[in-house]
Amino acid sequence: MKKEYFKSGRINQKLETRNKILNSAQYFLNRGLEFTLEDIAKECGISRATVYRYYSNIEILVNKAALNIQAENPDKIVENIKEDSLEDRILYIQNYYNKLAIEHESAFRKYLSSVITSNPSEIKRGARRKKTLQLAFENTSIDNKESEKLINLLTILMGIEPLIVTKDVVGLNNTQSMEIMKWGVQLILKGYFASKKE
């Protein structure tokens, strides 16, 4: 959204319009449909000029809409599982982000496509997965350096990127993808904890 436009006028009304635009974009993304700013304007019942005031091109809108998909806050995710074992916490987090990726696969694919074709310095990816894992690793006996390496490695096995690889490259379906990624995490943890017993 253009910051200078947002700073002027009635904030609540502008937030409502912004949310209406994002929700309309998510409608198209979640169905895997191509759309333009004109399509968004028509869906919202507002002018294209109004949409343009918020998002100057379709790529920016696609990025914002994909990122705006409702995901739980990392703190809330970990709050629900804080009493579980570390392995159970990690598997829960992985399952959460993999299900999110499957439920919003079209939107995430569209977002990744937009990011790949954009200037990487202009678009910053979110880091919810890593942040959630960092919270899960708090107050464990694992050394900070090893903890960071494990978190980085485990992050690779959750979300849209590995889902694309398992489906598009390996040829698995959603269920098989979830199972193979879970197995990968279990093997990593088993290997790590076995190495600590030696």
Side-chain angles (χ1 to χ4, degrees), residues 22-182:
L22 288 172
N23 289 338
S24 294
Q26 287 169 351
Y27 170 85
F28 288 104
L29 286 171
N30 285 328
R31 286 158 183 78
L33 302 172
E34 294 293 322
F35 60 95
T36 65
L37 292 179
E38 288 83 3
D39 295 326
I40 296 298
K42 186 176 179 181
E43 181 71 21
C44 292
I46 58 178
S47 70
R48 185 189 185 284
T50 300
V51 174
Y52 183 81
R53 278 190 219 110
Y54 288 81
Y55 302 99
S56 58
N57 65 54
I58 197 69
E59 288 77 22
I60 293 170
L61 175 56
V62 166
N63 288 332
K64 293 294 183 185
L67 288 173
N68 203 46
I69 289 172
Q70 297 302 311
E72 290 283 344
N73 182 295
D75 295 304
K76 188 171 182 183
I77 295 169
V78 174
E79 179 66 28
N80 296 331
I81 55 172
K82 64 182 178 183
E83 302 302 323
D84 295 349
S85 69
L86 179 60
E87 181 175 354
D88 287 343
R89 291 195 304 263
I90 292 166
L91 290 172
Y92 180 91
I93 291 165
Q94 181 194 42
N95 186 61
Y96 174 81
Y97 284 110
N98 286 346
K99 280 186 172 180
L100 185 71
I102 288 169
E103 289 168 8
H104 302 286
E105 185 176 346
S106 294
F108 281 121
R109 282 179 180 265
K110 187 87 169 172
Y111 168 69
L112 281 178
S113 173
S114 177
V115 169
I116 289 168
T117 59
S118 305
N119 181 347
S121 65
E122 292 176 7
I123 298 171
K124 302 294 181 196
R125 298 270 324 270
R128 290 184 187 125
R129 291 169 282 181
K130 185 171 181 177
K131 173 64 176 169
T132 310
L133 286 170
Q134 287 169 333
L135 292 170
F137 271 79
E138 284 182 355
N139 303 317
T140 64
S141 59
I142 300 174
D143 170 80
N144 284 345
K145 285 185 180 179
E146 288 185 350
S147 173
E148 189 64 22
K149 287 180 183 177
L150 275 171
I151 289 167
N152 289 338
L153 180 57
L154 295 169
T155 301
I156 295 169
L157 290 172
M158 59 185 75
I160 190 63
E161 298 88 348
L163 183 69
I164 289 171
V165 173
T166 59
K167 291 178 77 170
D168 296 6
V169 179
V170 183
L172 303 180
N173 63 32
N174 288 337
T175 302
Q176 294 167 327
S177 296
M178 295 269 287
E179 288 171 358
I180 200 75
M181 288 187 274
K182 179 180 179 180

